[in-house]
């Protein structure tokens, strides 16, 4: 498999669907799809096999070795079968934005268009926002594809602009629609008294309670007393995770004898966005910077909380104790 010098990761997966650096062997399938869908592409003639070979050899091959290529393209796979291709094009490395491009196997468009567009977006966001740390991605599409705009809005893209009569199509001028999505800044801030009701709501959400060590409902009186005690506890690091202007989770580290015990939760409305891993990463950096006397972090996880187990494992925590009812993960902190 060829690799992109611009990326730290090369393969991006979700279930049985994967993005891999654009494969040379997929070029003729891609050519056929482009030729059948030429009506919505910025392509003014049908492609030949010779032209496709030259494009891959003269253009695509050079992208892999560039530190800042103007496009990064992928084969979109189901299992090992290529069913689409696309990526980030017209990459602006100064302003940190890029246009999103995607074409699927033409035979999938009638019944599975929305599914594969949304699926591809979830994968390409990992490339754009997690690996490349771009600020913004957008689509530039002729006003010919109503299914596309529905898929983009379901993927939380914003209808940003309409360029009236912008392109000539079959003898008439048509509009171009631009949809975009911004990579919101994610950071930790100190918890405050204003967070009292929000943290109560999060704590008693059924999805939160299901994976908590204590699964019982928490009364408002009990929560308020506990919350106030944590605010004044000098041995407690209590932070709120922010995505832009929105609070999306909380994390607490209780300190004792050089150890820190981690407890965190993510707003159930924000699941499946990678925020659990992000909140633990951020608290690790925060502790290393502000609490150098903390030598070890410990996390206790319910056996059925698969997501938290994977997060701790990915961040280098070691599973120490498998005894029922909790798994114990530990990570020794190294200060340079």
């Amino acid at each position: 498999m060829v690799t992109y010098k611009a990326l730290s990761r090369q393969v991006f997966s979700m279930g049985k669907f994967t993005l891999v650096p654009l494969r040379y062997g997929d070029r003729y399938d891609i050519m056929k799809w482009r030729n059948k869908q030429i009506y919505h592409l910025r392509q003014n003639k049908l492609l030949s096999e010779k032209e496709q070979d030259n494009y891959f050899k003269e253009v695509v091959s050079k992208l892999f070795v560039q530190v800042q290529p103007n496009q990064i393209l992928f084969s979109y796979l189901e299992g090992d079968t290529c069913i689409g291709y696309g990526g980030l094009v017209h990459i602006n490395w100064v302003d940190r934005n890029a246009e999103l491009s995607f074409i699927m196997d033409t035979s999938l468009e009638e019944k599975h268009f929305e599914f594969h567009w949304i699926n591809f977006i979830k994968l390409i966001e990992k490339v754009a926002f997690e690996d490349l740390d771009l600020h913004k991605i957008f689509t530039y599409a002729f006003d010919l594809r109503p299914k596309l705009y529905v898929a983009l809005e379901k993927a939380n893209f914003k209808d940003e602009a309409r360029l009236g009569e912008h392109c000539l199509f079959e003898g008439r001028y048509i509009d171009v629609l631009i949809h975009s999505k911004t990579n919101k800044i994610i950071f930790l801030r100190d918890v405050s008294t204003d967070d009292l009701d929000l943290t109560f709501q999060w704590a008693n959400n059924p999805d939160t309670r299901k994976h908590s060590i204590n699964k019982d409902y928490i009364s408002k009186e009990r929560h308020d007393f506990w919350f106030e005690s944590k605010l004044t506890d000098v041995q407690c690091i209590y932070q709120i995770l922010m995505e832009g202007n929105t609070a999306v989770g909380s994390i607490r580290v209780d300190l004792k004898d050089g150890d820190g015990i981690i407890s965190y939760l993510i707003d159930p409305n924000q699941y499946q966005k990678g925020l659990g891993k992000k909140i633990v990463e951020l608290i690790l950096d925060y502790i290393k910077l502000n609490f150098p006397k903390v030598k070890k972090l410990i996390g206790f996880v319910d056996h059925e909380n698969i997501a938290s187990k994977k997060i701790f494992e990915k961040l280098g925590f070691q599973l120490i104790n498998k005894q029922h009812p909790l798994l114990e993960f530990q990570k020794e902190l190294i200060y340079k």
Side-chain angles (χ1 to χ4, degrees):
M1 181 181 72
V2 293
T3 59
Y4 283 109
K5 190 172 184 179
L7 295 176
S8 59
R9 295 168 56 192
Q10 303 296 323
V11 178
F12 300 83
S13 298
M14 188 170 60
K16 59 182 178 180
F17 299 99
T18 308
L19 293 183
V20 299
L22 189 59
R23 304 188 309 190
Y24 185 71
D26 298 325
R27 67 195 185 283
Y28 294 148
D29 285 333
I30 292 169
M31 179 194 72
K32 292 174 184 175
W33 302 333
R34 289 192 66 94
N35 285 341
K36 286 183 179 179
Q37 300 175 46
I38 193 172
Y39 76 94
H40 68 78
L41 301 173
R42 281 169 275 178
Q43 174 184 322
N44 56 20
K45 66 174 185 175
L46 297 178
L47 300 172
S48 67
E49 289 188 357
K50 182 178 180 180
E51 288 171 324
Q52 188 74 336
D53 288 344
N54 286 338
Y55 176 74
F56 269 71
K57 291 175 181 177
E58 299 299 323
V59 177
V60 173
S61 65
K62 296 177 182 178
L63 301 175
F64 299 114
V65 297
Q66 295 173 5
V67 176
Q68 293 187 334
N70 64 355
Q71 55 183 333
I72 299 176
L73 302 172
F74 297 89
S75 294
Y76 171 62
L77 310 181
E78 181 176 8
D80 193 47
T81 302
C82 183
I83 60 170
Y85 100 106
L88 302 168
V89 300
H90 305 298
I91 302 174
N92 182 329
W93 293 100
V94 175
D95 298 323
R96 307 206 66 78
N97 61 57
E99 182 183 341
L100 188 158
S101 176
F102 177 56
I103 295 176
M104 69 184 73
D105 183 335
T106 310
S107 66
L108 298 172
E109 286 209 321
E110 183 177 355
K111 294 183 178 180
H112 305 290
F113 182 91
E114 184 178 297
F115 171 83
H116 286 297
W117 254 100
I118 293 175
N119 211 39
F120 176 80
I121 286 171
K122 290 178 180 177
L123 289 167
I124 205 65
E125 284 181 359
K126 294 178 182 290
V127 181
F129 293 153
E130 296 179 16
D131 196 291
L132 296 178
D133 194 28
L134 296 183
H135 175 65
K136 183 178 184 180
I137 55 177
F138 63 93
T139 57
Y140 175 104
F142 300 153
D143 191 10
L144 300 166
R145 309 174 76 194
K147 285 185 178 180
L148 173 59
Y149 316 132
V150 173
L152 290 171
E153 288 170 10
K154 287 186 177 181
N156 296 317
F157 274 63
K158 179 177 66 174
D159 183 355
E160 184 164 299
R162 176 182 287 269
L163 307 179
E165 298 184 6
H166 197 67
C167 292
L168 184 64
F169 176 78
E170 295 182 347
R172 62 188 177 93
Y173 282 95
I174 61 173
D175 296 353
V176 166
L177 275 66
I178 297 175
H179 289 76
S180 67
K181 191 170 189 177
T182 302
N183 186 11
K184 294 181 179 178
I185 298 174
I186 299 176
F187 61 96
L188 291 176
R189 64 161 173 82
D190 291 338
V191 72
S192 75
T193 54
D194 293 337
D195 300 310
L196 177 64
D197 291 337
L198 179 61
T199 54
F200 174 69
Q201 294 172 17
W202 285 345
N204 274 317
N205 185 287
D207 288 326
T208 302
R209 297 260 48 85
K210 180 172 65 175
H211 293 305
S212 298
I213 295 172
N214 176 12
K215 303 185 186 305
D216 296 335
Y217 174 83
I218 302 171
S219 69
K220 186 68 165 63
E221 182 181 11
R222 178 182 167 198
H223 172 78
D224 291 357
F225 178 81
W226 171 89
F227 185 87
E228 293 295 337
S229 70
K230 291 300 178 184
L231 281 182
T232 57
D233 186 353
V234 295
Q235 295 299 309
C236 177
I237 304 166
Y238 197 2
Q239 303 270 294
I240 297 292
L241 182 68
M242 301 294 295
E243 185 178 38
N245 294 321
T246 304
V248 294
S250 67
I251 190 163
R252 193 180 78 253
V253 181
D254 292 301
L255 306 177
K256 184 178 180 180
D257 299 329
D259 294 343
I261 300 176
I262 294 178
S263 178
Y264 74 92
L265 65 82
I266 300 298
D267 180 349
N269 294 318
Q270 304 289 336
Y271 283 177
Q272 298 184 335
K273 293 174 60 175
L275 295 175
K277 181 171 180 284
K278 188 66 177 180
I279 199 170
V280 179
E281 286 178 326
L282 289 173
I283 204 66
L284 282 169
D285 292 339
Y286 180 82
I287 288 174
K288 285 184 178 181
L289 183 63
N290 296 287
F291 295 87
K293 292 184 179 180
V294 177
K295 305 302 181 186
K296 181 170 62 181
L297 290 178
I298 302 168
F300 293 101
V301 180
D302 186 277
H303 281 258
E304 296 182 0
N305 192 344
I306 305 299
S308 284
K309 287 195 289 186
K310 289 182 177 180
I311 287 168
F312 282 122
E313 289 168 353
K314 286 180 180 178
L315 294 178
F317 283 74
Q318 302 297 314
L319 180 57
I320 303 299
N321 186 354
K322 299 181 182 180
Q323 292 181 354
H324 185 79
L326 301 175
L327 301 173
E328 181 180 343
F329 289 88
Q330 295 186 6
K331 181 179 179 68
E332 300 287 342
L333 299 186
I334 299 174
Y335 296 89
K336 296 181 179 180

